[in-house]
Amino acid sequence: EDEQLAAEIMRRRFFPALITHKAWEGFHFAGHEIRITEATDCYGAVVWPSALVLCYFLETNSKQYNLVDKNVIEIGAGTGLVSIVASLLGALVTATDLPELLGNLQHNVLQNTKLKCKHQPRVKELSWGIDLEKNFPRSSCHFDYILAADVVYNHPFLDELLLTFDHLCKNDTVILWAMKFRLDKENQFVGRFQTLFDLEVISNFPSLNITLYKAMRKGRMKA
């Protein structure tokens, strides 16, 4: 069952029939054909399988996790695929990433959402752990959902990532986080994450080594 579902998710991806001067991949989600321009010179400009898992979950669980008119932020948005799908599902989305990725992110978001979404998504710089209160003040920023796909990998900013989750998450915020396990660092981060948040596995794909989590602040999951 895991392998069949994983294969179904991966079938949502398609490639151009002809080689073009720009590298791109296509995806079918939320009733739309989505074209994502990529770059191979950095991690953040490539679509990773965790993003497909999260997109598939959002699409197939749209009744339980209804994004219509919800305020949603994606951290580490990369190419923007997850943010695009959330926008197509009716959310008011803020897609965030490092400044050097914003150009490609903005291009993909605009190309795939213009005149197609109830709310036009925003693209905004977010360097984990830096100027959080200045750029996302607690008093005025309230997100119903935080989306994250493959934000934990071999990088030295795990402390800053946890700080960012903590800053953006209110008591009623739901975190949906897809993660591919590669190294012991991932396991260690999950343990540290659980000091602040209750964590629930909502989908697991051993064949892809990917787990999809739901998280809320400690004590809020059942409430």
Side-chain angles (χ1 to χ4, degrees):
E1 184 179 350
D2 158 54
E3 293 182 356
Q4 289 177 351
L5 186 53
E8 163 60 23
I9 293 171
M10 293 302 128
R11 277 196 292 270
R12 298 301 186 97
R13 166 186 272 160
F14 66 92
F15 299 93
L18 299 174
I19 302 298
T20 62
H21 69 285
K22 277 190 175 181
W24 65 271
E25 289 185 71
F27 303 87
H28 291 290
F29 286 108
H32 291 267
E33 179 181 299
I34 301 167
R35 292 194 176 193
I36 296 293
T37 300
E38 297 184 316
T40 57
D41 56 349
C42 62
Y43 289 128
V46 176
V47 177
W48 298 100
S50 292
L52 274 71
V53 168
L54 184 49
C55 289
Y56 183 85
F57 178 84
L58 293 175
E59 179 190 70
T60 56
N61 293 272
S62 59
K63 289 186 178 180
Q64 183 178 0
Y65 296 90
N66 185 357
L67 298 185
V68 177
D69 297 331
K70 295 297 193 298
N71 201 15
V72 173
I73 186 169
E74 184 186 6
I75 62 173
T79 62
L81 179 62
V82 173
S83 287
I84 291 164
V85 171
S87 297
L88 293 171
L89 292 170
L92 175 59
V93 176
T94 302
T96 69
D97 215 312
L98 296 169
E100 59 267 27
L101 297 173
L102 295 188
N104 188 59
L105 175 58
Q106 179 70 68
H107 168 78
N108 285 328
V109 166
L110 187 62
Q111 175 177 273
N112 291 285
T113 62
K114 189 176 182 180
L115 303 179
K116 298 177 182 178
C117 297
K118 185 175 183 180
H119 307 286
Q120 185 60 37
R122 298 184 301 163
V123 172
K124 190 171 180 178
E125 177 184 342
L126 173 54
S127 299
W128 296 336
I130 298 175
D131 291 333
L132 293 175
E133 182 58 30
K134 175 184 175 182
N135 296 322
F136 299 90
R138 288 181 184 269
S139 60
S140 59
C141 287
H142 181 282
F143 297 105
D144 300 295
Y145 289 93
I146 298 172
L147 305 179
D150 242 356
V151 292
V152 180
Y153 50 90
N154 189 26
H155 64 72
F157 305 110
L158 295 180
D159 289 340
E160 291 82 356
L161 174 59
L162 188 59
L163 183 64
T164 300
F165 273 124
D166 183 44
H167 181 84
L168 296 174
C169 190
K170 295 287 198 296
N171 281 343
D172 57 348
T173 302
V174 175
I175 299 170
L176 296 175
W177 167 28
M179 186 171 78
K180 183 177 180 68
F181 286 83
R182 301 179 180 88
L183 303 167
D184 284 342
K185 277 189 175 182
E186 281 90 343
N187 293 310
Q188 294 169 9
F189 183 81
V190 170
R192 293 174 57 201
F193 186 87
Q194 288 178 289
T195 64
L196 298 176
F197 302 98
D198 289 322
L199 200 60
E200 174 187 342
V201 175
I202 50 178
S203 287
N204 195 31
F205 301 92
S207 62
L208 299 173
N209 211 22
I210 293 173
T211 300
L212 179 59
Y213 294 107
K214 172 187 174 182
M216 294 185 75
R217 280 206 175 277
K218 279 285 187 185
R220 296 297 303 178
M221 189 78 83
K222 291 181 180 179

